[in-house]
Amino acid sequence: MAMVFEDREDAGRQLAAALPQFRERPDTIVLGLARGGIPVAAAAAEVLHLPFGALLVRKLGIPGHDETAFGALAYSGGRIVRLLNRPLVERILDDGVRQEWLDQVEHRERAELMRRADSYPAVDPDVHGKTALLVDDGLATGATMRAAVEAVRMAGAAAVVAAAPVGSIEAEKSLSRVCNVLCLHLPGRFRAVGAFYRRFDQLSDEDAIALLHGARI
């Protein structure tokens, strides 16, 4: 039977229980991938007595198949980092998807990323020389987490750990090539991230901002 988390806060507390080595470490910060990772990160940071903030990410979805990412964007260190799945991009271009359509997706997601950068508190904290615990509510493809890892590394993070309550085996394997990964549950048959939560409400900007107003960075 699949592990089921009550909600994102419960998942964050369980995640923190698996990361006792980071408790009260002065060189460590918890960053929740906006938006779904923010309540998970907030709960984990509270248990671990660590500062937390937000790391802004946006998936680049294939037109007409938005759930499939051809890449992702992340914002850190005052810059946007783009990570593309180049083999997938080449394949979908060969299948008739036009480059201008992909460019439109990226333009739209860059605009949304900058909108959130202007409106969210506790965004883009200084990670230089620190260990960054990057937290999301789940890892389906790992695309946005990969972009987040690259972004904080470019911003000078000394070490990076990608952490999530649940993820696909493929995403965990891919991420483990570039950083340390902690995933509490790796089901043999991965469904949508929300399938592993009893309550998985859509998080609004207002919800995320309210949590981040209490952030300590």
Side-chain angles (χ1 to χ4, degrees):
M1 181 178 177
M3 180 187 298
V4 176
F5 303 98
E6 288 297 325
D7 52 24
R8 290 182 177 91
E9 290 74 21
D10 172 51
R13 290 189 290 269
Q14 291 194 43
L15 204 58
L19 293 165
Q21 69 272 33
F22 294 105
R23 183 180 174 86
E24 297 182 344
R25 273 182 45 172
D27 65 342
T28 301
I29 185 169
V30 181
L31 296 177
L33 273 59
R35 289 187 297 234
I38 290 175
V40 185
E46 182 178 13
V47 173
L48 295 171
H49 295 178
L50 292 174
F52 100 97
L55 196 147
L56 300 179
V57 292
R58 296 293 293 174
K59 178 175 64 179
L60 301 176
I62 298 173
H65 303 277
D66 292 344
E67 291 305 309
T68 302
F70 68 86
L73 305 174
Y75 180 84
S76 184
R79 65 168 70 89
I80 293 177
V81 173
R82 179 183 70 162
L83 192 70
L84 294 181
N85 182 336
R86 295 194 181 277
L88 178 58
V89 170
E90 291 175 4
R91 188 160 67 249
I92 61 178
L93 289 174
D94 288 342
D95 288 342
V97 174
R98 295 164 62 178
Q99 180 64 53
E100 66 186 78
W101 296 348
L102 303 185
D103 293 341
Q104 288 171 4
V105 170
E106 182 173 345
H107 178 76
R108 182 182 70 241
E109 298 303 343
R110 281 180 178 269
E112 176 61 16
L113 206 59
M114 295 313 299
R115 182 193 71 78
R116 293 186 184 183
D118 289 338
S119 60
Y120 279 33
V123 165
D124 201 21
D126 183 15
V127 297
H128 187 79
K130 298 179 181 178
T131 294
L133 296 183
L134 304 182
V135 176
D136 208 352
D137 53 13
L139 302 172
T141 66
T144 51
M145 184 63 83
R146 283 286 298 268
V149 170
E150 184 68 19
V152 294
R153 284 208 170 122
M154 290 180 67
V160 184
V161 177
V166 63
S168 69
I169 294 172
E170 293 78 10
E172 191 274 342
K173 186 181 297 183
S174 174
L175 281 165
S176 65
R177 299 189 187 108
V178 297
C179 69
N180 291 323
V181 182
L182 171 66
C183 209
L184 298 182
H185 187 45
L186 291 167
R189 183 180 179 185
F190 186 84
R191 297 173 287 170
V193 170
F196 299 93
Y197 288 80
R198 295 191 194 282
R199 293 193 303 278
F200 195 71
D201 298 334
Q202 182 71 28
L203 204 72
S204 68
D205 279 339
E206 292 75 18
D207 295 330
I209 288 169
L211 283 167
L212 289 168
H213 272 308
R216 176 171 61 93
I217 61 173

